[in-house]
Amino acid sequence: MSPPAIINPSVLSADFAELGKACRDAMDWKSDWLHLDVMDGHFVPNMTFGAPVIGKLRKHVDRPKEAGGLGTFDCHMMIAEPMRWASIFRDAGADMYCFHYEAAVTSVGAKDPADTQTTEKCTPKNLIRYIHELGMQAGIAIKPKTGVDVLWDILAAEDEKERPDMVLIMTVEPGFGGQKFMASELHKVTALREKYPNLNIEVDGGLAEGTIDQAAEAGANVIVAGSAVFGAKDPAHVIQVLRDAVDKRRGGEKL
Ligand SMILES: O=C(CO)[C@H](O)[C@H](O)COP(=O)(O)O
Ligand SMILES: [Co+2]
C-alpha cells in the first residue's frame, strides 16, 4: 500500500500580509504539512520570500502533527543555487528542503551565499547527502519538461544518505499559483509509484477537487494545493476531499 495522504496547502495563494494567520488557518483546517514556495527571480520568473520570513512563521506553527500542529515545513526551493542556501533554511526551521534537479545540475557546490571561490559542480546526490547531514529531509523536484528518467539513478543511490525522501512532480510550470493542471505529467507519477511503493510522491500545481482523482489514481500521496485551498469558501472541506481521494486509492478502491 502506498504511503498515507499528506495534504500540504501552499501559502502562495494566501494573503502575504497575513502569513501568520494563514499558517494558523492551515492547522485549523487539519492540514498535514505547510508548503512554502521560495522563488528567487532567476530559476523562475517570480519572487516570493526567503529564510527570514520562514523563520518568523515557525513561531505561528506548533509541532507535532499529533498534537494538532503541522509536522513539516516543506520548502519548495525554486532557486538557482540550492546548495548555497540549505544551511540558512535549516536554521530558519525548514524540515523538508526540496530542490529542483534542473537547478542542482547547473550550479556550483558552494555552501555559503558569499562563497565566490568554489567552482566544483553541485550534483543531486551530493546535495541530498548535505541536506541530510544538516538534519533535514531531502526532496527533489522536476519541471514538466524534465523526464522522469533523470531520477532513477538518484533513487537507486547505493548510499541511503544520497537517496531523496520525496520526489516532487510539477504539474504546472513552476513560478505562479492558480495555473491549469497538466495531466500530461502523471505518467511520471505512475512510473515512480510502480517502482517505489513506499516513496513519498508529491504533486504540485493545479490540484483541486476536479483534478485530484487523476493524481491519486496515478499514485501521488503528497498533495500541494494553493488556490484550491486558500481561495475556497470552505477550505477544510477541500482538504478533506483531497485526503479522501488519496485514501481511496490506498484502500484499493478504483476511483
Ligand atoms: O510551486 C508552485 C508554483 O510554482 C505552487 O506550489 C503551486 O502552483 C500551488 O499553487 P496552485 O495550487 O494554485 O497551483
Ligand atoms: Co510549490
Side-chain angles (χ1 to χ4, degrees):
M1 202 190 282
S2 49
I6 294 173
I7 309 303
N8 193 6
S10 164
V11 297
L12 187 59
S13 294
D15 180 347
F16 273 18
E18 291 199 281
L19 283 179
K21 179 179 180 301
C23 292
R24 289 189 296 275
D25 284 346
M27 285 191 281
D28 289 347
W29 302 332
K30 309 231 177 319
S31 314
D32 298 291
W33 293 1
L34 197 72
H35 185 82
L36 296 148
D37 287 301
V38 179
M39 304 188 190
D40 68 352
H42 293 280
F43 182 72
V44 287
N46 196 6
M47 284 178 158
T48 53
F49 45 77
V53 172
I54 289 174
K56 293 290 180 197
L57 289 181
R58 255 291 164 222
K59 300 183 191 340
H60 294 266
V61 180
D62 306 325
R63 284 180 164 121
K65 166 78 183 153
E66 296 69 41
L70 300 172
T72 296
F73 259 22
D74 172 31
C75 295
H76 178 191
M77 304 305 297
M78 287 166 273
I79 65 170
E81 302 254 11
M83 189 86 114
R84 267 186 209 281
W85 297 93
S87 71
I88 290 169
F89 278 77
R90 190 277 312 267
D91 293 348
D95 301 289
M96 171 72 75
Y97 191 82
C98 184
F99 66 91
H100 268 267
Y101 167 85
E102 303 85 356
V105 296
T106 52
S107 60
V108 293
K111 293 180 173 138
D112 178 333
D115 177 354
T116 54
Q117 303 302 311
T118 300
T119 53
E120 179 201 333
K121 296 270 182 231
C122 176
T123 71
K125 284 184 194 171
N126 287 350
L127 179 49
I128 291 167
R129 170 184 286 279
Y130 179 50
I131 293 167
H132 285 149
E133 283 167 4
L134 289 170
M136 294 184 287
Q137 294 192 69
I140 183 165
I142 56 171
K143 297 206 264 187
K145 288 192 183 68
T146 303
V148 69
D149 299 11
V150 302
L151 297 173
W152 301 135
D153 176 59
I154 302 164
L155 283 162
E158 245 171 67
D159 187 340
E160 66 173 1
K161 291 195 190 71
E162 296 184 347
R163 277 182 237 141
D165 303 287
M166 183 181 82
V167 168
L168 163 53
I169 300 299
M170 288 304 297
T171 45
V172 296
E173 283 297 338
F176 299 92
Q179 301 184 74
K180 191 171 178 298
F181 178 72
M182 296 167 73
S184 58
E185 300 311 297
L186 291 179
H187 69 95
K188 299 176 185 174
V189 176
T190 307
L192 282 162
R193 181 58 74 216
E194 257 172 40
K195 276 191 165 223
Y196 293 97
N198 301 316
L199 181 67
N200 273 331
I201 304 177
E202 180 173 61
V203 282
D204 183 9
L207 274 304
E209 288 176 271
T211 54
I212 184 60
D213 285 355
Q214 303 163 68
E217 183 62 23
N221 71 299
V222 185
I223 311 299
V224 178
S227 46
V229 169
F230 282 98
K233 278 211 178 80
D234 186 351
H237 172 74
V238 174
I239 285 171
Q240 191 59 47
V241 170
L242 299 176
R243 189 186 306 289
D244 287 349
V246 176
D247 285 346
K248 256 194 224 166
R249 155 70 162 74
R250 288 186 80 221
E253 201 176 313
K254 206 79 183 139
L255 294 166

